[in-house]
Amino acid sequence: MGKEKLKIALISLGCAKNLVDSEVILGSLLQHEMALTTDTADADVLLINTCSFIESAQEESISVILEAGQRSGPEPNRERPEQAIVVTGCLPQRFAADLPALMPEVDAFMGVDQLEEAPKIIRQAIARRREVLKIQSEHSGRRKQPPLPPPSIKVNRRPAYIHTAKTPRLPLTPGHFTYIKIAEGCNHSCTFCAIPQIRGRYRSRGPEDILEEARGALKRGVRELNLISQDTTWYGHDLLRLARKSPPSLKLPAEITPEEQDRAGLSAYLLRKVGALRGDFWVRLLYTHPAHWSPELIEAMARAKKAVKYVDIPLQHIHPVMLERMGRRTSEKTIRKLLEDIRRGIPGVTLRTTFIVGFPGETEEYFQSLLDFVAEQRFQKVGAFTYSAQEGTRAGVMSGTVPEAIKRKRLERLMRLQRDISLRAHQEAVGSTQRVLVERQLSESEAAGVEVSTGESGQTRGSTGRLLRLESSYWVARAAGDAPDVDGRVYLKHSDSLKAGEFARVRITDCREYDLLGEALEP
């Protein structure tokens, strides 16, 4: 008999970009003949991919780690004392110097650059755990215990890694959609955000490499390609600098004009090329910064037949003072003009945005201007967060702190306003015919009361609106205006013509604040 494989269980927290990292980690483990399990209690190693974007995400990551430590930490009498714990992602990347003393139950920490080194680091974690158990066994009952061996720590302070189409990955999304990370890092200087410190400078993958990944996904039967990065509108600007060097280290396609290069980078080009691939699918652009939209990108989204008319554009605020304090590199005037251009240039577009309430210095007057803006613009999708100070950011030391109680009240007021706007928009959709992507059948537990909370969108459905109560024979689907995991859904009455992972034409029959109900039409 061969040697039994190590069993690894993964807990992936945070956004879709983190999920792609988890897929790369799992791909590397399979290359080294490690087995994967969804049973955390049965695993030899528990791998936790963390997020530290906002306070609530950081708290969730810490809570998951501590809970794991209670089951398998270095103390005796644990449930699984031999189970090693490895923590990766944004939390160790940001706090590598502090975590070992705070979390002695963790056997190894690895940063965002070490995804393909996971097998090696996991073996180091196992070795450390065995040494800990040996020390505890040899000194059991003694008053004085020798110091435990330190955990393995591997973190590059200046991240440079980015995967390619050839990097082994294990998809964690359902078979009908995937996330394609087109770039890593961020060059922006938003005062509230630590992502540039965590993820490093913006670095784009080559267009052909992205297209190779997209083709591979379509061959697997994927029906929706979601292009993601910290800012997809900044895609390719770093590659253009390489192309302009002498001698150039990158050759650009002749079809990209100098004007487009200056204004759109390579984002419009990439959207055109992905949208021109063969197959029946959607391509969606997520995480776009308002400062970097261009006429070329608007035109590309409008003309590419497979590009969904969906714009995800986090604005964060609208008052000029707040935008300046947030370091957003844009103004109220340019935002209003951009929204007007997008609506005019992309008929029928769905607009999603995100706002921060309670940012330092936000007065009632400034917040009211945000409410007025939301009421005027009538965005179909809005998420919102209360501001949380992040260590190492400029906003974290700003004056004008807003009390937590006021932050929460402002968030409630904003989301109450948006809930009414969303409901009216959905009421107008009743009776229409839409094309949807069918996800799966509704489970009995979901049917009892559909409620979704997501930290990525800052939106909670159900707790602030009416819960849907459906029969479990319903199907779950998404329209073109609904991104995976962060937006609403379309719940369809059972029909033999519906199939998970395929498109369907449906008629909308009813609605709630954030969701639609419908029935399938004959193919």
Side-chain angles (χ1 to χ4, degrees):
M1 290 180 65
K3 187 177 179 181
E4 188 175 347
K5 293 182 179 180
L6 287 171
K7 288 184 285 189
I8 316 296
L10 170 76
I11 298 175
S12 187
L13 306 171
C15 66
K17 297 178 286 293
N18 233 30
L19 187 70
V20 172
D21 288 351
S22 293
E23 293 178 342
V24 171
I25 290 172
L26 294 182
S28 70
L29 300 184
L30 292 178
Q31 291 289 303
H32 286 75
E33 298 186 344
M34 294 183 178
L36 306 178
T37 178
T38 57
D39 184 357
T40 57
D42 186 47
D44 299 304
V45 179
L46 181 58
L47 180 62
I48 305 171
N49 191 4
T50 61
C51 176
S52 65
F53 174 55
I54 57 175
E55 186 176 3
S56 60
Q58 199 165 291
E59 289 173 351
E60 180 188 26
S61 295
I62 294 171
S63 175
V64 170
I65 295 168
L66 295 180
E67 183 181 342
Q70 288 174 356
R71 294 193 306 269
S72 57
E75 296 297 327
N77 304 319
R78 297 295 195 193
E79 200 177 300
R80 284 294 310 273
E82 75 282 4
Q83 184 183 72
I85 300 176
V86 178
V87 174
T88 184
C90 295
L91 202 65
Q93 183 68 38
R94 191 173 177 190
F95 302 112
D98 305 318
L99 293 182
L102 296 173
M103 299 176 174
E105 58 268 74
V106 177
D107 299 286
F109 296 95
M110 51 185 270
V112 298
D113 260 21
Q114 281 65 57
L115 307 184
E116 294 185 55
E117 298 177 53
K120 176 183 176 182
I121 294 171
I122 280 174
R123 291 191 174 95
Q124 292 171 347
I126 292 172
R128 190 258 184 183
R129 177 52 59 98
R130 288 171 178 167
E131 190 175 350
V132 166
L133 293 177
K134 181 181 177 182
I135 291 172
Q136 289 178 340
S137 175
E138 291 174 349
H139 295 80
S140 176
R142 298 185 186 181
R143 284 179 121 186
K144 189 173 182 180
Q145 293 276 337
L148 297 177
S152 165
I153 302 176
K154 186 69 181 294
V155 174
N156 292 343
R157 301 318 306 173
R158 294 186 178 181
Y161 175 83
I162 187 166
H163 73 277
T164 72
K166 291 182 171 57
T167 303
R169 276 171 64 186
L170 177 68
L172 293 174
T173 51
H176 55 276
F177 78 85
T178 191
Y179 295 104
I180 298 180
K181 190 190 287 191
I182 64 174
E184 183 58 275
C186 185
N187 288 358
H188 297 313
S189 56
C190 300
T191 61
F192 53 83
C193 184
I195 293 298
Q197 302 168 34
I198 298 170
R199 293 281 175 169
R201 298 284 294 175
Y202 197 98
R203 47 201 185 275
S204 304
R205 293 171 59 188
E208 284 305 318
D209 185 55
I210 294 169
L211 289 170
E212 182 181 343
E213 182 178 333
R215 291 188 193 98
L218 295 174
K219 285 181 181 178
R220 297 196 310 268
V222 167
R223 295 294 197 175
E224 180 179 16
L225 306 173
N226 294 280
L227 307 184
I228 60 174
S229 70
Q230 291 302 140
D231 174 13
T232 50
T233 49
W234 190 248
Y235 170 73
H237 281 281
D238 55 326
L239 300 179
L240 291 173
R241 286 196 299 272
L242 296 175
R244 291 164 183 158
K245 284 185 177 181
S246 182
S249 53
L250 177 73
K251 186 176 181 181
L252 291 174
E255 64 185 274
I256 308 176
T257 66
E259 292 77 20
E260 180 174 343
Q261 293 178 33
D262 291 339
R263 291 195 296 250
L266 298 179
S267 57
Y269 168 77
L270 182 65
L271 189 60
R272 290 197 302 268
K273 297 298 285 187
V274 174
L277 294 175
R278 291 184 178 181
D280 185 14
F281 66 93
W282 285 341
V283 56
R284 188 185 305 273
L285 202 62
L286 297 174
Y287 315 120
T288 70
H289 194 291
H292 305 127
W293 271 82
S294 65
E296 289 80 7
L297 183 55
I298 292 174
E299 182 180 7
M301 186 172 289
R303 290 193 174 188
K305 292 181 179 180
K306 294 163 188 173
V308 293
K309 312 312 182 225
Y310 175 97
V311 171
D312 171 29
I313 183 168
L315 298 175
Q316 311 303 5
H317 217 285
I318 193 59
H319 195 279
V321 173
M322 290 291 94
L323 292 173
E324 183 176 356
R325 287 176 70 86
M326 290 179 176
R328 292 295 288 167
R329 297 184 182 178
T330 189
S331 66
E332 177 183 3
K333 182 178 179 180
T334 57
I335 288 172
R336 290 182 178 278
K337 176 67 164 54
L338 173 59
L339 294 175
E340 181 182 330
D341 290 345
I342 289 174
R343 286 186 168 118
R344 183 189 304 112
I346 312 173
V349 67
T350 294
L351 280 167
R352 153 173 272 284
T353 190
T354 309
F355 296 112
I356 298 173
V357 300
F359 190 82
E362 185 187 58
T363 64
E364 179 62 28
E365 176 190 349
Y366 297 166
F367 176 67
Q368 185 60 51
S369 71
L370 177 59
L371 289 181
D372 294 342
F373 176 69
V374 171
E376 168 202 321
Q377 292 292 326
R378 296 177 60 83
F379 299 99
Q380 291 97 327
K381 319 283 183 180
V382 169
F385 303 95
T386 56
Y387 170 75
S388 61
Q390 296 295 300
E391 183 180 330
T393 63
R394 286 179 289 158
V397 294
M398 283 183 177
S399 60
T401 301
V402 178
E404 288 298 323
I406 293 179
K407 290 181 189 178
R408 290 194 297 272
K409 288 181 180 178
R410 288 178 181 174
L411 178 64
E412 290 170 4
R413 290 164 62 190
L414 174 58
M415 295 314 296
R416 187 164 55 244
L417 168 63
Q418 179 57 31
R419 190 170 69 243
D420 294 340
I421 293 172
S422 179
L423 177 60
R424 288 196 292 272
H426 281 169
Q427 287 171 338
E428 293 172 2
V430 173
S432 66
T433 297
Q434 298 192 20
R435 192 179 196 229
V436 301
L437 181 57
V438 181
E439 305 251 60
R440 54 186 168 77
Q441 282 192 291
L442 189 68
S443 68
E444 290 185 11
S445 59
E446 287 179 305
V450 176
E451 181 170 357
V452 173
S453 176
T454 167
E456 187 170 358
S457 67
Q459 173 176 289
T460 300
R461 300 188 294 108
S463 60
T464 54
R466 288 180 293 162
L467 286 172
L468 286 171
R469 307 233 175 238
L470 304 171
E471 299 172 2
S472 57
S473 58
Y474 272 71
W475 288 76
V476 182
R478 286 186 292 109
D482 298 319
D485 299 327
V486 298
D487 290 323
R489 294 164 180 167
V490 182
Y491 294 95
L492 304 172
K493 291 181 180 179
H494 178 77
S495 169
D496 292 337
S497 66
L498 297 175
K499 184 179 178 182
E502 297 295 338
F503 291 110
R505 288 178 63 251
V506 304
R507 185 173 66 85
I508 304 304
T509 58
D510 199 358
C511 69
R512 295 293 186 272
E513 288 92 339
Y514 298 118
D515 302 294
L516 297 170
L517 287 85
E519 56 188 14
L521 299 175
E522 291 300 321

